[in-house]
Amino acid sequence: MNERNQIQPSRLRELREEMGLTQAALSRKVHAGQGGINQSAIAQVERGMTGFKAETLGEVADVLCTSTDYLLGRTDDPTPYSDVEEQVILVERDPERRDRLQRLFAAIGRLPDGQRREYLDMLIVLYRGVVTHENSV
């Protein structure tokens, strides 16, 4: 089946722009090992003309550090996951930094729930700012 998911176009555009990505840059990051997807596909989704296949939707959410539910409009919380280990995988995929991040998230994971959520939210905002800065330099 070739079913496509209808996402909230404005959310895709806002998150992409927050990350400092052009449509073309986002299209290259999705299915990166397979050459990416067509930039015009991103443009069509942002105009509400079409949606993504399920596997593509998941990859787009990963690249934009959000959840598929947020892109689909099922939640207003853009935070991708609540599990600390999943945050490590999603927020930073650089193998050289993974060990340091895992130690940091493990320490945060030992905090009470409210404090943990606060720290994770701050780290996501910081990460998005770093990615935006790196892409603008």
Side-chain angles (χ1 to χ4, degrees):
M1 185 172 228
N2 205 9
E3 188 174 325
R4 293 181 181 267
N5 296 291
Q6 191 60 38
I7 69 160
Q8 301 291 312
S10 62
R11 290 184 175 185
L12 173 65
R13 185 179 315 105
E14 287 167 13
L15 289 172
R16 177 182 58 75
E17 289 173 352
E18 280 180 24
M19 299 286 291
L21 297 171
T22 63
Q23 291 176 343
L26 176 59
S27 70
R28 286 189 302 272
K29 288 180 175 280
V30 177
H31 302 315
Q34 302 157 8
I37 62 173
N38 193 315
Q39 179 269 329
S40 65
I42 302 289
Q44 288 178 352
V45 173
E46 284 188 359
R47 288 193 302 267
M49 298 170 60
T50 188
F52 291 120
K53 293 180 187 177
E55 78 174 45
T56 303
L57 176 64
E59 286 192 45
V60 168
D62 287 350
V63 169
L64 297 176
C65 299
T66 194
S67 68
T68 56
D69 282 345
Y70 180 74
L71 290 174
L72 292 167
R74 295 179 181 163
T75 181
D76 290 330
D77 182 2
T79 307
Y81 303 100
S82 60
D83 184 344
V84 172
E85 285 301 313
E86 289 176 333
Q87 288 289 346
V88 171
I89 292 167
L90 195 60
V91 171
E92 184 59 69
R93 293 179 180 214
D94 181 348
E96 296 172 12
R97 298 184 203 169
R98 187 171 293 136
D99 289 341
R100 285 184 293 180
L101 284 171
Q102 286 176 331
R103 286 192 303 273
L104 174 64
F105 279 108
I108 291 171
R110 292 188 290 272
L111 295 171
D113 285 342
Q115 279 183 317
R116 181 176 59 234
R117 180 83 256 148
E118 205 174 306
Y119 277 95
L120 291 174
D121 288 346
M122 284 188 285
L123 287 170
I124 289 169
V125 168
L126 287 170
Y127 176 76
R128 286 183 175 162
V130 167
V131 170
T132 300
H133 175 74
E134 286 176 355
N135 290 332
S136 66
V137 175

